[in-house]
C-alpha cells in the first residue's frame, strides 16, 4: 500500500494536525515506511504462537461478581443540599 500526498492531507485533517505543504513530502515518506514495516510483519509465521495479554505470563486478577450498594451512600449524599433516605431531594419542576 502506498500513501500519496492527498492521503497525507486527509489523515492530517482527520487527526487535526496542521501540516504545511513543505512537510507533506516528508510525512508521505514516513507513512510509507510505517506501512512497509507493517507489511513485513504480515510475512511472519505466527501459526504456533498463542495470543497473549502481556509479555510476561501472569494471571488476571479476579473479584467476586457480587451486587452491593457500595457502602458509600452516606458519602455520596454528604454534600447534597437536601437528602432523605440516601436519595437526593430536588424541587418539583413539573406541575
Amino acid at each position: 500500500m502506498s500513501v500519496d500526498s492527498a492521503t497525507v492531507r486527509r489523515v492530517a485533517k482527520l487527526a487535526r494536525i496542521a501540516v504545511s505543504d513543505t512537510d507533506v513530502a516528508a510525512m508521505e515518506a514516513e507513512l510509507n515506511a510505517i506501512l512497509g514495516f507493517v507489511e513485513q510483519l504480515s510475512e511472519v509465521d505466527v501459526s504456533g504462537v498463542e495470543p497473549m495479554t502481556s509479555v510476561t505470563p501472569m494471571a488476571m486478577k479476579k473479584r467476586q461478581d457480587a451486587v452491593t450498594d457500595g457502602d458509600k451512600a452516606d458519602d455520596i449524599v454528604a454534600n447534597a443540599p437536601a437528602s432523605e433516605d440516601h436519595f437526593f431531594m430536588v424541587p418539583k419542576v413539573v406541575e
Side-chain angles (χ1 to χ4, degrees):
M1 178 177 186
S2 180
V3 175
D4 60 351
S5 60
T7 305
V8 170
R9 286 186 177 90
R10 183 169 185 265
V11 169
K13 181 180 178 183
L14 290 172
R16 306 286 197 263
I17 299 172
V19 178
S20 65
D21 291 336
T22 58
D23 294 336
V24 169
M27 186 168 284
E28 182 178 339
E30 289 179 20
L31 288 175
N32 281 324
I34 292 169
L35 292 175
F37 180 71
V38 171
E39 287 177 4
Q40 283 181 345
L41 289 177
S42 67
E43 298 172 3
V44 177
D45 180 25
V46 293
S47 58
V49 180
E50 293 184 27
M52 58 184 186
T53 58
S54 175
V55 293
T56 58
M58 62 175 56
M60 297 288 288
K61 295 179 183 177
K62 298 178 182 173
R63 63 172 173 81
Q64 292 293 325
D65 191 16
V67 177
T68 65
D69 65 353
D71 295 328
K72 296 199 179 272
D74 291 326
D75 296 336
I76 292 170
V77 296
N79 291 328
S83 65
E84 183 178 308
D85 294 330
H86 304 299
F87 292 102
F88 292 97
M89 300 290 290
V90 295
K92 187 176 179 180
V93 293
V94 178
E95 300 268 343

